[in-house]
Amino acid sequence: MLKLSKKTDYALMAVQYMASKGTARIVNTKEIAEEYNIPVELLAKVLQKLGKKGLIVSQNGPKGGYVLAKSSTDISVLSVIQAIEGHVGITECYHNEDSTCMQMPRCNIRTPLRNIQNSIYGLLDSMSIEDMKEFGSATIVPQSRLNGHRT
Amino acid sequence: MLKLSKKTDYALMAVQYMASKGTARIVNTKEIAEEYNIPVELLAKVLQKLGKKGLIVSQNGPKGGYVLAKSSTDISVLSVIQAIEGHVGITECYHNEDSTCMQMPRCNIRTPLRNIQNSIYGLLDSMSIEDMKEFGSATIVPQSRLNGHRT
DNA sequence: CCAGTCGCCGACTAAAATAATCGGACTTAG
DNA sequence: CTAAGTCCGATTATTTTAGTCGGCGACTGG
């Protein structure tokens, strides 16, 4: 239904939060969880995933926590989403590499949907975490080819 | 997880199929279901929803069925998706009008996500069912502002 | 004029995805 | 050496999605 999972929301919030603190400051799970009212254990797993994907780096022990692995301008929104959700596809057959779709043989919407998906990918890839701050109220993608409303 | 539901897939396939048959030919649920290996009862409900939204018109009785209510150039992909999924939002708070989101007070990703969502809307709205045929293997949205891959 | 074909509708069950919890192990600053 | 932190797998609860069932109502051809 075209909705992001809460885990992804949490991930974006957390990364955004870390970005706002800069690379000098190390933040821990509890701090972020309290800031946004997120269940700690859940956020913990999310951050672990981000760590394994190399988007953030972890520091163990007391005074430990996380920092962004690179500049917020170099972290795309897409990379965060994919870190949490794995391979994202708009349809079953693009979501699961080895899906057995009953409709495959005669499917008439695969290719066009792939194009839509690629456009969305492009959009998400072109937007960085930094952009999410800056463009708080601007439109990102040129919609020059839009030709008015249909029903 | 940014995936369309099967019902929506079915709806798009069905509409596409009807478009391919033209407005003269009336098609029934069973015919479409067999063409694409879709469970009839499920497809039936999908078509009913499309009917209620005025995208297709129904004909009762024997030899009954459905026809597109208007030209395939005047039916946007978005309208089909919305007919099935209702109001679509990329996040909980945009999906559900009256959602009580724990993160609301301090949420730092609402506005940027809304922009992303609007871009997706624009894309889906600008694409008609007819376009889905034509652009079987073309890219729809100009991605001129893309600036290479990040992680 | 009535029998069979079709759409219409709501309630129901089944399966899958998501959200959240729990328990315990490993790491390290103080 | 211990408390504060990350790490990790297993488990449960909740919600969403997929699919099923049964009956009603509309219509058309014979």
Side-chain angles (χ1 to χ4, degrees), chain B residues 39-97:
Chain B
V40 269
E41 304 89 350
L42 189 50
L43 179 62
K45 311 200 83 166
V46 167
L47 294 178
Q48 281 159 33
K49 268 193 182 175
L50 293 178
K52 265 198 280 194
K53 294 289 178 174
L55 294 175
I56 61 181
V57 290
S58 66
Q59 172 71 42
N60 269 354
K63 302 291 178 187
Y66 298 92
V67 194
L68 293 188
K70 43 193 170 180
S71 162
S72 62
T73 56
D74 289 336
I75 301 178
S76 72
V77 173
L78 181 62
S79 66
V80 175
I81 295 176
Q82 284 184 330
I84 304 301
E85 316 225 337
H87 179 218
V88 176
I90 210 176
T91 59
E92 185 60 29
C93 46
Y94 291 134
H95 189 89
N96 243 323
E97 210 47 58

Side-chain angles (χ1 to χ4, degrees), chain A residues 79-105:
Chain A
S79 67
V80 175
I81 295 177
Q82 283 183 331
I84 303 302
E85 316 225 339
H87 179 218
V88 175
I90 210 176
T91 58
E92 185 61 28
C93 47
Y94 292 133
H95 189 90
N96 243 323
E97 211 46 59
D98 58 339
S99 75
T100 62
C101 174
M102 260 9 273
Q103 285 75 44
M104 275 283 223

Side-chain angles (χ1 to χ4, degrees), chain A residues 4-21 27 32-33 35-39 43 46-47 50 68 77 80 84 129 132-133, chain B residues 91-93 101-110 112-113:
Chain A
L4 296 172
S5 72
K6 287 221 166 160
K7 284 188 194 173
T8 303
D9 291 345
Y10 296 159
L12 288 170
M13 286 186 230
V15 170
Q16 181 78 289
Y17 182 79
M18 287 187 257
S20 77
K21 296 299 176 183
V27 303
I32 304 177
E35 175 77 11
Y36 299 115
N37 291 298
I38 305 173
L43 179 61
V46 167
L47 293 178
L50 292 179
L68 292 189
V77 172
V80 175
I84 303 302
I129 294 302
M132 286 192 74
K133 285 196 256 177
Chain B
T91 59
E92 185 60 29
C93 46
C101 175
M102 262 6 275
Q103 284 75 42
M104 274 283 224
R106 308 223 178 172
C107 184
N108 52 1
I109 57 173
R110 269 174 69 83
L113 280 184

Side-chain angles (χ1 to χ4, degrees), chain B residues 3-61:
Chain B
K3 202 178 64 178
L4 296 172
S5 72
K6 288 222 166 160
K7 283 188 195 173
T8 304
D9 291 346
Y10 297 158
L12 288 170
M13 286 185 230
V15 171
Q16 181 78 288
Y17 181 80
M18 285 187 260
S20 77
K21 298 297 176 185
T23 49
R25 175 106 143 57
I26 195 166
V27 303
N28 67 30
T29 309
K30 200 171 145 224
E31 176 180 346
I32 304 177
E34 284 176 352
E35 175 78 10
Y36 300 115
N37 290 298
I38 304 172
V40 269
E41 304 89 350
L42 189 50
L43 179 62
K45 311 200 83 166
V46 167
L47 294 178
Q48 281 159 33
K49 268 193 182 175
L50 293 178
K52 265 198 280 194
K53 294 289 178 174
L55 294 175
I56 61 181
V57 290
S58 66
Q59 172 71 42
N60 269 354

Side-chain angles (χ1 to χ4, degrees), chain A residues 25-117:
Chain A
R25 174 105 144 58
I26 195 168
V27 303
N28 66 29
T29 309
K30 200 171 146 224
E31 177 180 346
I32 304 177
E34 284 176 353
E35 175 77 11
Y36 299 115
N37 291 298
I38 305 173
V40 269
E41 305 89 348
L42 189 51
L43 179 61
K45 313 203 82 166
V46 167
L47 293 178
Q48 283 159 30
K49 269 194 181 176
L50 292 179
K52 265 199 278 194
K53 294 288 179 176
L55 294 175
I56 61 181
V57 291
S58 67
Q59 171 71 42
N60 269 354
K63 300 292 177 187
Y66 299 91
V67 194
L68 292 189
K70 42 193 170 181
S71 161
S72 62
T73 57
D74 290 335
I75 301 177
S76 71
V77 172
L78 181 63
S79 67
V80 175
I81 295 177
Q82 283 183 331
I84 303 302
E85 316 225 339
H87 179 218
V88 175
I90 210 176
T91 58
E92 185 61 28
C93 47
Y94 292 133
H95 189 90
N96 243 323
E97 211 46 59
D98 58 339
S99 75
T100 62
C101 174
M102 260 9 273
Q103 285 75 44
M104 275 283 223
R106 309 221 178 171
C107 184
N108 53 0
I109 58 173
R110 269 175 69 85
T111 322
L113 280 184
R114 175 145 63 188
N115 294 324
I116 291 176
Q117 175 174 298

